[in-house]
Amino acid sequence: MTKNLLDTKKIAILMLLAFAFSFVARLYWVSYASGIESFYFNNQIMINTNDGYFYAEGARDLIKGSHEAGDRSAVTEPVAIATAALYKILPFSIETLMLYMPAVLGSLVVIPVILIGRFFGQPMMGFFAAMFGAITYSYYNRTMAGYYDSDMFALVVPPFAAAFLIGYFKEKRNLWQALFLASLALSKILYPQSFAWMAATVGFAFLYTLVFDRKNKEIYLTLILALIAVCDLPTAAKAVIITASLYFQPRLTLDYRSLAVFAVAALAVFAYFGGLTPVIGSLNAYLFKDSLTVTSTLKYYDVVQTVQEAGKMDPNLFASRISGSMPIFIAAIIGYGLFIKKEKLFALTLPIFGLGLFAYFSGLRFTVYAVPFAALGLFYLIFWGLRNLDERAKIAVASLSFLIASIPNFYHIYDYKADTVFPSGIVKQISELGKKASREDYVFTWWDYGYPVRYYADVKNHSDGGKHDGATNFIESFIICSTSQNAAANMMRESVEAYEELIKQGKEQKTATLEYMLAKNGFKNEDYQQYLSALASNTHKKSVKTRDVYLFLPYEMFGILPTIKLFSNVDLNTGAEVSSPSFLMFNHYNETEDSIDFGGAVFDKKTKTVKFGEKTIHLKSVSISYYDKNGTLATKTDSGSSTGELHLISLPTYGAYILADDEMFNSLFIQMFVFENYDRNLFEKVSSTYEAKIFRLKI
């Protein structure tokens, strides 16, 4: 057996072992979830990310062979297409594929990390780095079992591209050249938003070539072809151009004149089919914090202000997400620098690694890109320190170092007991709704729940995880927080009929529903408040009903109710806050016979007052709402002081108390969820449990 074959076999074994380690680590959550009955539906553990249901809906519709116009189904998304294809060739349910695909595909990251180690003559270093990176906080979180999302493509391909690029520069083999170009083209298909790191990688590789390998004309040709690979040219055309170029490359006489001609042609194609537009868009969204709101003359509340991913990070959290802990992160950075100093070719990973470090300023979502390269830096430093030991001693000390460095990651895997998006009880409610509702019916709820509701009920909705700009959220917020059920009901009917008209006109993604409604009814945008007041009137002329509309109110919406309120509690002409509503929810408190201490607020049962420090506030009412042993809702409200400012609600079923002012107490959500107090002429109760309520609009 030749030396090359032995080396290949050794590398393959290391990759297999690292892959198995990564996959098994991801099975811990499956083991944990398997013991929780509420995590199961259709005899399978459900997924743990909301966005996953977007792709699940697309896969379901592809398998079914149809979907409705304007339903925003992900039928063109690579994740959905891949899932549907696997469903047709493998003996697994779609739920099983959704659960395990992230763990399988996410674990593939070990391959390029080990390859990079091998290119620099240290496959064992790459092996330990691969295992370490695979279980580090942010990479684990976004490729764990159940995290069914585009991340399983988006996060795996960049290390492959970096490895193939290093391999090509190192060995000048056509295999690595072809694989590098193929990885760029594939990444553009699997995750179109990957344009930024690809363009940065190609640009940096060009600068590297100018400095260190300027006479190698084949590298220039490769980078010229890379421009073709990363643009939006149709895939078939890319394949033809790249394949033909690689085939004729050995037969071409490459001189600087011909390269200049190729470069100009490639730049023209690059600019025409995409150019820098995706980069500019990403910078606007994450660096300059541009609003996600549709073009509008009204000043809606900006959704970016509520997105946690798009903010500056705590240094310790930043370090932990990349390397598990601050000390390990520091060691990884030192090792990364040492790696580049000793092997300047490793600098080709800087664009992707830099994107991960960019997370410190732009938010946690980017940290994951730095993980595999930080892991390589860490174990390069470790192996450099062990360079004088024999191979056995190196592996022994490296193994111990791996275990010690991985302790925070092991603890994180153990502690990260993510819940499924919905418990099975709510999923059953939504699925039952799907048996009553048609695929053209609408369900209103907050955008967080849009994808799973669409998947399990097979209906339409107005907002979801991909459509929740300020203009869209205003509609849902107005409905959920309105103190007039008449206004909320009319908004549900009018906005659905208006949105359907926008769908038929192909304008639903660019036109604010409210502004279309205003124009349709003869109102100027600045007079929007007159229209909203008209919706509350009994004399409002309703649009012709074309479909049923439902309202889904889960208990967990309490946790985000103040945020929901923000989107409709705004003067759309000025952008200023209209009022200062008060809503406090307490899940931890100390109760005695005479009082309840909420921590910062104390309720006196005898006087029906709440004391905030030195300030005493009288209560307007004290209510209780709970489910008895038969599952029946029981409510009771005692009046308090006529001059009271707040309402106290006891929710013993949930072990919670609520303090709310009139505005929040009389909101549709609290009245219909807590007390099931609703206008029977407007709404019909479809489903009611302690977890969620579903109502049908009757008008």
Side-chain angles (χ1 to χ4, degrees):
M1 189 176 291
T2 65
K3 183 178 183 298
N4 286 340
L5 189 59
L6 283 172
D7 288 344
T8 300
K9 185 176 180 181
K10 177 183 177 182
I11 296 297
I13 292 172
L14 291 178
M15 289 177 177
L16 184 61
L17 290 174
F19 178 87
F21 172 80
S22 174
F23 182 71
V24 170
R26 282 156 174 74
L27 293 184
Y28 177 75
W29 183 82
V30 177
S31 175
Y32 154 75
S34 65
I36 303 175
E37 185 178 353
S38 63
F39 282 13
Y40 279 84
F41 188 72
N42 280 347
N43 298 315
Q44 184 55 272
I45 298 168
M46 295 179 286
I47 61 175
N48 48 47
T49 175
N50 290 56
D51 288 355
Y53 286 109
F54 170 63
Y55 303 105
E57 178 190 26
R60 179 203 65 200
D61 290 344
L62 286 169
I63 293 168
K64 186 182 296 184
S66 67
H67 70 101
E68 283 59 52
D71 62 5
R72 303 191 298 279
S73 179
V75 290
T76 61
E77 291 290 331
V79 174
I81 295 170
T83 306
L86 290 173
Y87 174 83
K88 292 179 179 180
I89 62 177
L90 297 175
F92 300 124
S93 68
I94 187 172
E95 288 83 6
T96 298
L97 291 171
M98 289 159 58
L99 178 65
Y100 289 106
M101 278 178 66
V104 173
L105 296 177
S107 294
L108 293 176
V109 73
V110 302
I111 295 175
V113 175
I114 292 174
L115 268 180
I116 291 174
R118 177 258 184 197
F119 289 138
F120 293 108
Q122 298 194 62
M124 288 306 301
M125 180 271 290
F127 171 70
F128 284 106
M131 292 196 298
F132 182 80
I135 61 169
T136 297
Y137 281 38
S138 56
Y139 191 82
Y140 171 82
N141 288 1
R142 291 169 63 177
T143 57
M144 63 184 289
Y147 198 89
Y148 176 71
D149 197 2
S150 57
D151 285 345
M152 57 189 173
F153 292 148
L155 305 182
V156 174
V157 179
F160 271 101
F164 296 146
L165 181 62
I166 289 171
Y168 177 60
F169 270 77
K170 186 82 172 177
E171 300 179 356
K172 303 298 188 295
R173 290 178 59 189
N174 292 338
L175 172 64
W176 305 128
Q177 178 189 32
L179 287 175
F180 170 63
L181 295 172
S183 67
L184 295 182
L186 184 62
S187 184
K188 198 70 176 70
I189 295 171
L190 296 179
Y191 191 68
Q193 298 89 332
S194 59
F195 182 91
W197 71 258
M198 292 191 296
T201 297
V202 173
F204 187 82
F206 176 71
L207 293 176
Y208 181 94
T209 304
L210 288 178
V211 176
F212 298 111
D213 208 354
R214 67 176 64 90
K215 294 183 179 180
N216 192 321
K217 298 182 181 67
E218 289 189 355
I219 291 180
Y220 291 122
L221 178 61
T222 300
L223 298 179
I224 289 170
L225 292 175
L227 291 177
I228 302 295
V230 303
C231 73
D232 290 327
L233 186 71
T235 304
K238 284 184 188 180
V240 170
I241 293 172
I242 293 174
T243 302
S245 298
L246 294 181
Y247 177 78
F248 288 109
Q249 178 179 303
R251 300 165 177 79
L252 293 175
T253 301
L254 292 176
D255 54 37
Y256 290 112
R257 179 176 294 181
S258 60
L259 285 172
V261 172
F262 291 148
V264 169
L267 283 169
V269 173
F270 174 78
Y272 186 80
F273 291 97
L276 297 176
T277 303
V279 177
I280 295 170
S282 297
L283 289 174
N284 282 339
Y286 292 103
L287 184 59
F288 303 115
K289 305 293 190 291
D290 269 14
S291 171
L292 301 177
T293 316
V294 295
T295 302
S296 169
T297 60
L298 294 176
K299 295 178 174 62
Y300 297 100
Y301 188 80
D302 194 343
V303 71
V304 171
Q305 298 174 61
T306 68
V307 179
Q308 293 181 351
E309 281 188 338
K312 190 174 179 179
M313 293 183 65
D314 172 76
N316 287 312
L317 176 61
F318 172 73
S320 295
R321 289 182 62 83
I322 292 177
S323 297
S325 66
M326 181 61 81
I328 299 301
F329 174 72
I330 293 171
I333 293 296
I334 294 171
Y336 186 86
L338 180 65
F339 202 159
I340 291 177
K341 182 180 178 181
K342 298 292 184 180
E343 301 282 359
K344 64 179 181 291
L345 201 55
F346 188 62
L348 292 173
T349 65
L350 270 170
I352 306 174
F353 183 67
L355 180 60
L357 299 185
F358 178 68
Y360 184 70
F361 302 99
S362 60
L364 58 84
R365 67 172 297 157
F366 292 108
T367 53
V368 66
Y369 287 98
V371 169
F373 307 110
L376 281 163
L378 173 65
F379 281 91
Y380 185 87
L381 179 65
I382 290 171
F383 272 75
W384 180 80
L386 304 175
R387 62 190 181 281
N388 293 325
L389 299 180
D390 61 39
E391 193 65 19
R392 284 190 176 183
K394 277 185 184 179
I395 294 174
V397 177
S399 298
L400 182 61
S401 300
F402 167 76
L403 292 174
I404 294 172
S406 297
I407 288 174
N409 296 330
F410 290 140
Y411 271 113
H412 176 72
I413 292 172
Y414 176 78
D415 288 335
Y416 196 67
K417 296 179 171 65
D419 292 336
T420 54
V421 176
F422 281 143
S424 58
I426 289 182
V427 172
K428 290 174 184 176
Q429 283 181 270
I430 301 172
S431 297
E432 287 299 315
L433 172 63
K435 296 176 182 178
K436 301 173 183 178
S438 78
R439 299 183 78 181
E440 287 288 348
D441 290 343
Y442 274 73
V443 173
F444 274 101
T445 186
W446 194 239
W447 66 263
D448 293 61
Y449 317 117
Y451 289 148
V453 166
R454 278 220 311 267
Y455 176 72
Y456 286 115
D458 197 5
V459 290
K460 289 184 173 182
N461 52 25
H462 184 248
S463 66
D464 56 38
K467 185 180 184 295
H468 57 270
D469 55 86
T472 299
N473 287 353
F474 178 88
I475 301 289
E476 273 76 352
S477 176
F478 181 88
I479 293 166
I480 293 167
C481 298
S482 177
T483 57
S484 167
Q485 292 190 15
N486 203 47
N490 283 325
M491 178 62 86
M492 290 171 67
R493 173 55 59 200
E494 300 303 327
S495 59
V496 160
E497 303 303 341
Y499 189 65
E500 276 296 313
E501 290 177 15
L502 286 171
I503 289 174
K504 291 175 182 177
Q505 297 171 23
K507 299 178 179 178
E508 76 277 10
Q509 294 295 334
K510 295 183 179 180
T511 303
T513 306
L514 175 62
E515 293 174 46
Y516 178 78
M517 294 159 65
L518 292 172
K520 176 183 174 183
N521 289 279
F523 288 86
K524 295 181 179 179
N525 281 359
E526 57 265 30
D527 298 326
Y528 78 94
Q529 192 59 59
Q530 295 179 26
Y531 179 69
L532 297 183
S533 297
L535 292 179
S537 170
N538 290 323
T539 61
H540 171 72
K541 185 179 179 181
K542 300 172 178 60
S543 295
V544 176
K545 175 181 177 180
T546 63
R547 66 205 65 233
D548 274 330
V549 181
Y550 297 86
L551 183 63
F552 171 68
L553 305 174
Y555 169 75
E556 67 176 59
M557 197 181 284
F558 271 114
I560 58 173
L561 192 59
T563 299
I564 293 174
K565 177 66 176 176
L566 290 172
F567 288 89
S568 58
N569 187 38
V570 61
D571 184 327
L572 297 183
N573 287 320
T574 66
E577 191 176 53
V578 173
S579 63
S580 300
S582 179
F583 177 86
L584 297 170
M585 190 168 192
F586 306 98
N587 297 103
H588 303 285
Y589 49 85
N590 293 314
E591 185 168 1
T592 66
E593 184 178 346
D594 300 321
S595 66
I596 306 175
D597 186 347
F598 297 118
V602 179
F603 169 57
D604 189 311
K605 295 180 179 179
K606 293 181 179 179
T607 62
K608 293 185 179 179
T609 60
V610 176
K611 194 170 184 179
F612 292 88
E614 298 300 319
K615 184 179 181 181
T616 299
I617 296 177
H618 290 274
L619 295 178
K620 202 165 188 176
S621 72
V622 178
S623 306
I624 185 170
S625 174
Y626 65 96
Y627 285 84
D628 62 24
K629 60 183 180 181
N630 297 317
T632 303
L633 180 67
T635 65
K636 180 182 178 182
T637 300
D638 294 328
S639 60
S641 170
S642 58
T643 60
E645 300 176 39
L646 298 174
H647 301 265
L648 179 67
I649 307 172
S650 172
L651 301 172
T653 301
Y654 312 98
Y657 281 89
I658 291 171
L659 275 173
D661 61 7
D662 281 345
E663 189 173 358
M664 298 303 289
F665 180 78
N666 293 316
S667 66
L668 175 144
F669 178 72
I670 288 183
Q671 289 298 309
M672 293 180 70
F673 184 93
V674 175
F675 303 108
E676 292 192 1
N677 177 20
Y678 59 95
D679 189 331
R680 268 62 175 173
N681 294 317
L682 300 174
F683 298 99
E684 171 192 4
K685 184 169 65 176
V686 174
S687 177
S688 174
T689 70
Y690 72 94
E691 292 177 311
K693 310 289 173 70
I694 301 176
F695 297 89
R696 184 182 71 86
L697 183 66
K698 296 175 72 173
I699 60 174

